[in-house]
Amino acid sequence: MVDMKEEDSYQSLNERLEFVLNRMQAPDIQVGEAVELYEEGLTLIALLEKHLKRAENKIEKLKSASV
Amino acid sequence: MSELVFTVSEFVAVLNQTLEYAYPNVTVTGELANFRVSKGKWVYFDLKDEEATVRFFGTAYQLPGPLEDGMLLAVSGMPRLHSLYGFSVTVTGIRPTGAGSIKKAAQLLEAKLRVEGLFDPDRKRQLPYPPTHIGLVTSAESAAYRDFIKVLGARWGGLRISLVDVQVQGEAAPAQIVAAIEQLNAAGDPPDVLVVTRGGGSAEDLQAFSTEQVTRAVAASRIPTLLAIGHEVDISLAELAADQRASTPSNAAELLVPDRRAVLDRLDGLRRQLERDVRGVLDVARAGLKLSANSLHEYTARAARTARQNLELKTRLLAAYDPNAALQRGYALVRMDGGLIRSGKQLKEGDELHVSLSDARVTASVKKVTMDGGYERGR
């Protein structure tokens, strides 16, 4: 089980979730792994939801290097 | 009024001073004539109208793209009287003017850049979806900027947006846009997507985005580009060179990030799917376990049955060996001194024998031993 945290980017969380979902479908999956992946999947979904519920985008105005 | 007398050189110098003071920079509009490029570097042409012609001199670098005689241009520059070649305007900027010429210039430039491969479909890169860091090149005062930011915020959060505020029309626009694209590309932590946008306007307003320099800068961007210039119907050359094009600034925001509500719904679905999946794995495992348990029962029962049959067999076998049964049938056991007698050779006359029958013990003595084969003869 990979330890994902809230600070991880949306993309990396999403990629890991894709992996978990794919692995869950594998024909050779064992009960122990499935249960672990299930718990990890739920955690990932919760973290992703947290990401999504953040309302703000941060705008920084760069000092223009141009003329 | 005293008459001014100059040498020729003095006259040229004074006239240039006067021109510089009076007209440090002028813009002249007219029809392009006698356009030629020398050594790929120097540009000579005239601008004319019905009554007059003026000569211009500049560098190829200042060209907005390929030009053709007959196009209407607005040319900025400094009027100069050259000591040998006479009067000309030293060019500082050229832009096509009037819808027809703008279109013509764009067509010529498009053809040139298309041949170079700047618009090739196989150059197009995938934009990160969703990105985390957006480089935004637009005018911070524009409705395009407000629309883009508003739609983006409604759909997605947690994005970092690096804005470079530029003029999106006018003479300074192309250089500023190019500088902004280069600045974002050179940033220490560059954005993972570059958005260049402005709202609708006249062909002239949108012209900066069809200049050669801006188009090339977009094509050269190492960061994938998304351009939304003007309305759906306006397609600038820079948009053709971009990795992706959006019809409006709002549409750019829509293409860039998913709608969080849709994603939240999807996540809900995924949660249910995960539950189904894990339940599926557990069900399969449970079924397997049940199968194993059944087999275990069966093996045990079979083993017990075999053991029982074995025991019966042995019991029967044992019964067959029971000497009592033989005595019942009329056989007798003959012993002497505690040992069983199996041969006449063990005996001599007068020996005392102990004979066991099924219901009695008899003591007898040997009268005679005849070694003649015994049982068969005695019958």
Side-chain angles (χ1 to χ4, degrees), chain B residues 128-331:
Chain B
Y129 188 77
T132 53
H133 182 187
I134 299 169
L136 180 59
V137 178
T138 191
S139 161
E141 306 300 323
S142 63
Y145 170 72
R146 286 192 299 276
D147 289 351
F148 177 78
I149 293 297
K150 190 176 141 205
V151 174
L152 203 64
R155 293 173 69 87
W156 204 252
L159 297 167
R160 184 177 155 207
I161 299 157
S162 293
L163 167 70
V164 185
D165 183 12
V166 295
Q167 288 182 32
V168 289
Q169 65 190 72
E171 213 162 297
Q176 285 189 10
I177 296 163
V178 169
I181 293 171
E182 286 170 356
Q183 181 184 353
L184 288 166
N185 266 281
D189 55 341
D192 45 13
V193 66
L194 207 68
V195 176
V196 182
T197 190
R198 71 147 284 160
S202 67
E204 198 136 6
D205 291 341
L206 304 180
Q207 210 179 341
F209 298 94
S210 284
T211 58
E212 184 164 0
Q213 34 183 160
V214 170
T215 306
R216 285 196 187 281
V218 168
S221 174
R222 284 185 302 281
I223 305 169
T225 49
L226 171 62
L227 264 75
I229 308 300
H231 298 300
E232 176 100 54
V233 289
D234 313 312
I235 300 183
S236 61
L237 296 185
E239 283 174 291
L240 293 180
D243 292 301
Q244 200 175 342
R245 169 181 184 256
S247 57
T248 61
S250 304
N251 180 232
E254 287 163 4
L255 292 179
L256 215 48
V257 295
D259 186 342
R260 53 158 72 81
R261 280 166 304 190
V263 178
L264 283 168
D265 283 351
R266 182 174 167 266
L267 283 177
D268 246 0
L270 290 181
R271 187 181 280 122
R272 282 194 296 276
Q273 189 193 318
L274 262 179
E275 275 160 17
R276 274 197 306 277
D277 287 348
V278 77
R279 201 165 295 143
V281 173
L282 288 174
D283 284 350
V284 168
R286 206 171 288 131
L289 209 59
K290 200 169 170 195
L291 213 63
S292 303
N294 286 346
S295 306
L296 203 62
H297 277 304
E298 204 173 298
Y299 295 150
T300 314
R302 195 182 303 159
R305 223 165 25 243
T306 310
R308 203 176 312 117
Q309 283 165 355
N310 246 332
L311 194 64
E312 278 167 18
L313 200 71
K314 284 184 177 137
T315 310
R316 273 203 300 278
L317 215 57
L318 213 56
Y321 289 140
D322 184 358
N324 253 322
L327 299 185
Q328 294 269 352
R329 291 203 297 277
Y331 294 87

Side-chain angles (χ1 to χ4, degrees), chain A residues 11 52 56 58 60 62-63, chain B residues 130 158 160-161 163 260:
Chain A
Q11 283 89 336
L52 288 173
E56 295 298 306
K58 206 175 86 201
E60 33 188 313
L62 300 189
K63 228 177 136 79
Chain B
R160 184 177 155 207
I161 299 157
L163 167 70
R260 53 158 72 81

